[in-house]
Amino acid sequence: MQADNVETDWAALVSRVRDHQDKAAFAALFRHFAPRVKAFLMKSGADAALAEECAQDVMATLWQKAHLFDPSRASVATWVFTIARNRRIDALRKARRPEPEELPWGPEPEPDQAEVLEAQQDTERLGTALSQLPDKQRALIERAFYGDLSHSEIAAETGLPLGTIKSRIRLALERLRQQMT
Amino acid sequence: MAYSAGDLPEAFNLVVATHVSLCDECRARMASFDALGGAVLDMGDVAEMSDASLAACLDRIDGLSQATARSPLRGAGVFPAPLADYIGGGLEKVKWRPLGMGVKQAILPTGKDASARLLFIPGGQAVPDHGHRGLELTLVLQGAFRDEKARFGPGDIEIADEATEHTPVAEDGEVCICLAATDGPLRFNAIIPRLAQPFLRI
């Protein structure tokens, strides 16, 4: 993990994009997230050129939808992940991805700072927990998110029985849950 | 988890999105899977972007307006928002086709790797005994049904696979409306429904 992960307040940069159309803040977000989105999409099967183009789309979406980002509910990394995932479904599958109904919270109050801090630190804590998983468990979790592969496809590709894959993923999730509480 | 990772066929995504709209516990689980996806992305490898990319992207956003408000999807009657969006409204917009014995269905337009349909089962009516060739998710939107093992009420999802052979019966009273998605055709155990199957697309 790079040092900037720990020190940069990505949520604050998104607020600057939102409130001041701050291009320097956008460039900082781009330098950190675009290469990760590109790598993520390449692992999902996109070639380098398509991945680069989609990574630009994802970052442009971040600019356009900065008002919709709620820092008390998700970290910037999580939000970027959801945009990238949806872009991937569009690009590689040409399918729609229905989204759940928004909860009717009414007018959003100013987010509580403690909640914001906690949500923003989640990614970091999860990342640490993830890196402490046994290699085999971590690899499967990553495959599930990168791979655009169902569990049975992973089974066919790795030669592992489906039951083993499911129980490994379950074990990995259980371990992560323990680390997060 | 597969919904969060974006690994599911569209028809299953629709069932999950509709269920999450009704179930706070699953909404919380979905958020935690999304957070895990965020961590995987953040921890993951970095693929160098070309020098021109940032400049190109800055140029692109120059003319882009920023959205200022959400345009939230709205539910309609018994249909939560994601489903209402597919149907273009509430129950009154559904184009039902009769399946016999008062049971009706409407097939929804989704990707080809799995199919989604709405089922309308009058109270007290049984859906013919059937097995499955694949995975089937059935979400109850109104009323309730029972099979040999359990009762499913509004918001509940029944998960059936190849090992499941059952005869769901709608409970007496209100019409039971369900959203079902499957990646394989249903297999009816009686000869008549089996003959009708290719025509009815179930």
Side-chain angles (χ1 to χ4, degrees):
Chain A
M1 209 189 294
Q2 295 175 1
D4 64 355
N5 259 350
V6 187
E7 285 162 17
T8 310
D9 184 349
W10 301 115
L13 292 179
V14 175
S15 318
R16 276 163 52 195
V17 167
R18 181 192 62 198
D19 297 334
H20 308 292
Q21 290 77 46
D22 183 335
K23 289 200 169 165
F26 179 78
L29 287 161
F30 187 98
R31 283 190 205 100
H32 179 76
F33 287 107
R36 286 172 169 78
V37 170
K38 184 179 174 187
F40 172 81
L41 293 169
M42 286 173 70
K43 291 199 178 172
S44 302
D47 63 37
L50 178 64
E52 176 133 356
E53 193 191 315
C54 290
Q56 283 191 35
D57 293 345
V58 168
M59 298 312 292
T61 305
L62 177 147
W63 171 270
Q64 281 183 289
K65 295 196 171 172
H67 286 84
L68 305 185
F69 173 61
D70 177 351
S72 66
R73 283 206 224 164
S75 74
V76 178
T78 297
W79 184 51
V80 170
F81 159 73
T82 59
I83 300 173
R85 170 198 62 204
N86 293 354
R87 186 68 190 87
R88 182 186 81 199
I89 293 174
D90 268 3
L92 301 182
R93 292 255 213 88
K94 310 226 182 306
R96 289 170 69 187
R97 182 177 187 279
E99 297 281 342
E101 193 165 320
E102 294 279 339
L103 287 179
W105 290 125
E108 292 276 327
E110 211 35 42
D112 178 61
Q113 282 312 306
E115 278 179 33
V116 169
L117 190 64
E118 199 176 335
Q120 297 311 307
Q121 286 173 344
D122 265 359
T123 301
E124 211 179 292
R125 290 170 59 215
L126 262 172
T128 309
L130 203 53
S131 66
Q132 286 164 359
L133 283 180
D135 287 348
K136 285 173 179 171
Q137 289 179 14
R138 190 182 63 240
L140 280 175
I141 296 268
E142 290 177 353
R143 286 294 300 278
F145 279 100
Y146 284 138
D148 203 21
L149 286 177
S150 69
H151 295 170
S152 42
E153 283 166 320
I154 295 179
E157 203 176 297
T158 57
L160 288 171
L162 190 55
T164 309
I165 288 175
K166 285 189 172 162
S167 62
R168 260 186 208 166
I169 288 182
R170 211 170 298 134
L171 257 176
L173 292 174
E174 188 49 46
R175 246 176 229 244
L176 288 174
R177 200 167 295 133
Q178 283 165 7
Q179 300 248 3
M180 294 301 284
T181 46
Chain B
M1 178 177 179
Y3 172 74
S4 173
D7 290 344
L8 288 178
E10 184 182 347
F12 287 146
N13 278 335
L14 177 60
V15 177
V16 175
T18 306
H19 173 69
V20 166
S21 305
L22 298 168
C23 174
D24 288 343
E25 199 184 324
C26 290
R27 185 185 291 275
R29 285 179 61 192
M30 179 190 78
S32 65
F33 286 135
D34 284 353
L36 188 54
V40 167
L41 175 86
D42 211 48
M43 294 270 298
D45 296 343
V46 170
E48 194 94 8
M49 299 283 286
S50 74
D51 290 340
S53 248
L54 175 57
C57 203
L58 284 170
D59 272 355
R60 217 169 112 183
I61 59 173
D62 217 15
L64 284 179
S65 60
Q66 290 183 320
T68 49
R70 288 167 196 275
S71 49
L73 293 166
R74 297 208 181 283
V78 299
F79 298 154
L83 186 54
D85 190 37
Y86 269 72
I87 291 158
L91 261 181
E92 73 286 348
K93 294 273 186 185
V94 180
K95 296 186 182 74
W96 295 108
R97 300 203 179 276
L99 282 181
M101 299 189 294
V103 180
K104 294 187 271 188
Q105 75 165 356
I107 293 172
L108 305 178
T110 58
K112 285 204 173 88
D113 38 7
S115 63
R117 64 198 190 284
L118 283 168
L119 289 168
F120 174 110
I121 311 161
Q125 180 64 53
V127 173
D129 196 17
H130 63 282
H132 307 83
R133 269 188 220 129
L135 180 67
E136 187 190 40
L137 303 180
T138 307
L139 168 66
V140 179
L141 299 165
Q142 173 189 302
F145 73 84
R146 280 174 188 284
D147 65 9
E148 290 80 349
K149 295 203 186 86
R151 173 188 189 271
F152 299 88
D156 293 341
I157 283 197
E158 190 213 12
I159 300 170
D161 60 17
E162 292 175 17
T164 315
E165 291 261 340
H166 65 166
T167 310
V169 180
E171 280 192 350
D172 285 334
E174 206 175 13
V175 168
C176 180
I177 308 274
C178 300
L179 171 66
T182 179
D183 56 6
L186 298 186
R187 198 166 45 196
F188 285 103
N189 296 331
I191 184 77
I192 298 297
R194 202 180 296 158
L195 283 176
Q197 223 167 329
F199 304 102
L200 298 172
R201 284 219 280 156
I202 55 176

